[in-house]
């Protein structure tokens, strides 16, 4: 998966735009700035699953709570299947922020159908922790970039020397 198909890129870009957003107000757009708390909760739940994808040691209760919360979000902000001769699209039933939440879950669904959901991860470099899309052939990436990878291995090297 060196070059991901455009549909996968669009879906993972949308999920990562939320996970990595510096300002949730900005991500939501001015009209929906009052929904920041719900957006932060959605992001927190998605982040837990991304950390699970990265092989982080998580409390099973934490994962269950995140999954339960995402089920709630999916019920509250539904997607409608728009069926055409050439394909099917999952389209948010609502406008505004609520539509955005549905669109994110639609992107996750799309990624899962394409076998790419497990590839959306969180960088394991402790000073980074950004979400990223793992493009390695065997889904083995732990870091978002070569820079993070070398920072983390430098840190591990120094820690080993300290311990010795
Ligand atoms: Zn990183």
């Amino acid at each position: 998966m060196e070059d991901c198909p455009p549909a996968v890129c669009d879906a993972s870009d949308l999920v990562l735009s939320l996970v990595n957003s510096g300002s949730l107000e900005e991500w939501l757009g001015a009209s929906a700035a009052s929904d920041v708390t719900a957006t932060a909760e959605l992001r927190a739940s998605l982040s837990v699953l991304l950390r699970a994808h990265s092989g982080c040691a998580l409390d099973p209760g934490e994962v269950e709570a995140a999954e339960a919360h995402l089920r709630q979000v999916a019920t509250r902000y539904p997607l409608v299947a728009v069926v055409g001769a050439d394909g099917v699209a999952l389209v948010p039933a609502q406008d505004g922020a609520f539509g955005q939440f549905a669109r994110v879950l639609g992107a996750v669904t799309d990624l899962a159908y394409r076998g790419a959901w497990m590839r959306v991860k969180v960088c394991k470099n402790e000073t980074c922790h950004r979400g990223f899309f793992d493009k390695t052939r065997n889904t083995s990436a732990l870091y978002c970039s070569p820079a993070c990878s070398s920072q983390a291995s430098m840190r591990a090297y120094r820690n080993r020397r300290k311990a010795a």
Side-chain angles (χ1 to χ4, degrees):
M1 199 171 265
E2 288 294 297
D3 293 302
C4 58
V8 169
C9 292
D10 288 347
S12 62
D13 283 354
L14 176 59
V15 175
L16 292 174
S17 75
L18 171 60
V19 171
N20 292 332
S21 168
S23 154
L24 291 178
E25 280 95 340
E26 215 167 279
W27 184 83
L28 280 167
S31 61
S34 56
D35 303 304
V36 166
T37 311
T39 314
E41 285 168 3
L42 173 60
R43 171 159 76 173
S45 293
L46 285 171
S47 297
V48 170
L49 301 192
L50 266 45
R51 279 160 60 209
H53 291 173
S54 298
C56 298
L58 294 166
D59 180 351
E62 199 180 353
V63 176
E64 272 167 38
E67 289 171 343
H69 177 243
L70 291 172
R71 249 196 313 279
Q72 254 178 34
V73 173
T75 309
R76 230 175 278 159
Y77 314 115
L79 290 156
V80 175
V82 177
V83 181
D86 297 330
V88 177
L90 289 173
V91 176
Q94 289 152 301
D95 295 328
F98 301 153
Q100 261 313 74
F101 297 168
R103 200 167 287 123
V104 168
L105 295 187
V108 170
T109 307
D110 197 35
L111 286 164
Y113 276 143
R114 294 168 199 276
W117 173 224
M118 296 296 285
R119 293 180 175 277
V120 186
K121 299 181 174 182
V122 166
C123 178
K124 293 195 95 164
N125 182 9
E126 58 193 57
T127 57
C128 177
H129 287 172
R130 280 176 67 81
F132 72 102
F133 187 81
D134 177 357
K135 291 186 181 178
T136 60
R137 205 147 38 92
N138 53 359
T139 322
S140 62
L142 298 176
Y143 304 102
C144 70
S145 64
C148 274
S149 166
S150 63
Q151 245 183 51
S153 57
M154 276 300 288
R155 196 176 302 120
Y157 171 73
R158 274 194 303 255
N159 287 346
R160 271 198 307 274
R161 288 228 314 194
K162 239 185 280 168

